[in-house]
Amino acid sequence: MAKYMTGQRKQMQDLFVKHPHEMFSAKEIEELIGNESVSISAVYRNLSELEDSGLVRRCSKNGSREAFYQYTGTEACKGHIHLTCKKCGKTFHMELEDTNALIHSALKYRDFSVDIAETVLFGTCGACKNI
């Protein structure tokens, strides 16, 4: 059954769609939306529902216990492993050919299967390496 699209959820989803390569904490989302109609509890409630529907993934950044959320509802996310820079936080999609090669390699290792939608590799992007 489809969930009713509340104004709060629409504002959050619009924020994620405009920034598909970024991860946000709940507090950052509240601040970026920046109006009284969206409380921190509404942000958490909507994040939970967006996560349950597969439109948002939750992860943590290296050295932080805080949860961060990224939109995964675009076609670009489907079937791609995410590469996230530990310095700037930007997320990239691994090329499909490279994703498939990595997945194939993992399958050979003890018949292990990988959940691509949940897979994030952390490292340092080229721009941050040169700083």
Side-chain angles (χ1 to χ4, degrees):
M1 174 155 89
K3 288 261 184 201
Y4 173 71
M5 178 64 79
T6 64
Q8 295 168 342
R9 191 170 308 123
K10 174 84 171 103
Q11 288 176 311
M12 287 177 60
Q13 199 163 337
D14 288 347
L15 173 69
F16 280 121
V17 168
K18 289 177 186 170
H19 303 278
H21 302 295
E22 295 180 53
M23 292 186 289
F24 301 104
S25 69
K27 186 68 177 160
E28 289 171 328
I29 293 167
E30 179 190 34
E31 291 169 0
L32 287 167
I33 292 174
N35 64 45
E36 299 82 39
S37 69
V38 179
S39 67
I40 193 70
S41 62
V43 169
Y44 280 113
R45 183 174 52 257
N46 283 289
L47 282 170
S48 178
E49 291 176 6
L50 288 169
E51 188 178 5
D52 288 347
S53 67
L55 294 175
V56 170
R57 73 176 172 86
R58 175 181 42 178
C59 65
S60 59
K61 291 183 181 179
N62 193 20
S64 174
R65 294 203 271 172
E66 187 172 21
F68 290 85
Y69 301 86
Q70 182 184 9
Y71 188 66
T72 58
T74 65
E75 283 301 312
C77 283
K78 293 184 177 24
H80 293 265
I81 289 176
H82 292 92
L83 307 170
T84 298
C85 179
K86 294 188 300 184
K87 289 187 178 181
C88 69
K90 188 169 182 182
T91 298
F92 306 89
H93 295 101
M94 181 182 276
E95 294 296 326
L96 192 57
E97 183 177 300
D98 296 328
T99 295
N100 289 338
L102 185 61
I103 299 305
H104 180 71
S105 179
L107 284 171
K108 288 196 272 185
Y109 184 78
R110 300 186 184 215
D111 196 30
F112 188 83
S113 63
V114 176
D115 183 348
I116 294 172
E118 294 289 326
T119 302
V120 180
L121 299 176
F122 291 93
T124 307
C125 72
C128 288
K129 279 183 186 176
N130 297 322
I131 294 177

